[in-house]
Amino acid sequence: METRVAVMSIIVENSDTVEKLNLILHTYGEYIVGRMGIPYRKKNINIISVAVDAPQDTISALAGKIGKLPGVSVKTAFSNVSKQEDKA
């Protein structure tokens, strides 16, 4: 299966959705390469970057679920790097 590397930028404006967001990210944990969260207290928001390596439809599904959360925005940037993953 071919995988792609991407970075998801997430802005959380509604702190009530953080638990749901973390549950979604945990569900896709096998695809997450790294994650960085920055609380921006001055604006009362959280900024999160998530690097993933997954099939494109998996990345799109993850972004779709995150984007449906109230008060959460997500954008995804894909690299041109793709890899045929070995079946194990």
Side-chain angles (χ1 to χ4, degrees), residues 36-47:
M36 178 181 64
I38 303 168
Y40 190 10
R41 289 180 181 87
K42 181 178 177 182
K43 299 287 185 176
N44 200 29
I45 63 173
N46 292 294
I47 304 163

Side-chain angles (χ1 to χ4, degrees), residues 2-6 31 52-59 78 85:
E2 185 176 352
T3 65
R4 296 201 54 196
V5 175
Y31 302 107
V52 295
D53 184 2
Q56 184 158 350
D57 60 337
T58 301
I59 297 170
F78 289 91
E85 199 171 81

Side-chain angles (χ1 to χ4, degrees), residues 18-86:
V18 171
E19 190 174 333
K20 291 178 184 177
L21 174 60
N22 283 327
L23 181 61
I24 292 169
L25 292 173
H26 177 74
T27 302
Y28 286 83
E30 67 183 283
Y31 302 107
I32 294 176
V33 177
R35 172 181 170 175
M36 178 181 64
I38 303 168
Y40 190 10
R41 289 180 181 87
K42 181 178 177 182
K43 299 287 185 176
N44 200 29
I45 63 173
N46 292 294
I47 304 163
I48 303 167
S49 294
V50 180
V52 295
D53 184 2
Q56 184 158 350
D57 60 337
T58 301
I59 297 170
S60 296
L62 173 56
K65 289 179 182 180
I66 293 171
K68 288 181 182 177
L69 295 173
V72 178
S73 303
V74 62
K75 296 291 181 188
T76 306
F78 289 91
S79 76
N80 292 323
V81 176
S82 63
K83 175 185 164 194
Q84 195 69 21
E85 199 171 81
D86 297 329

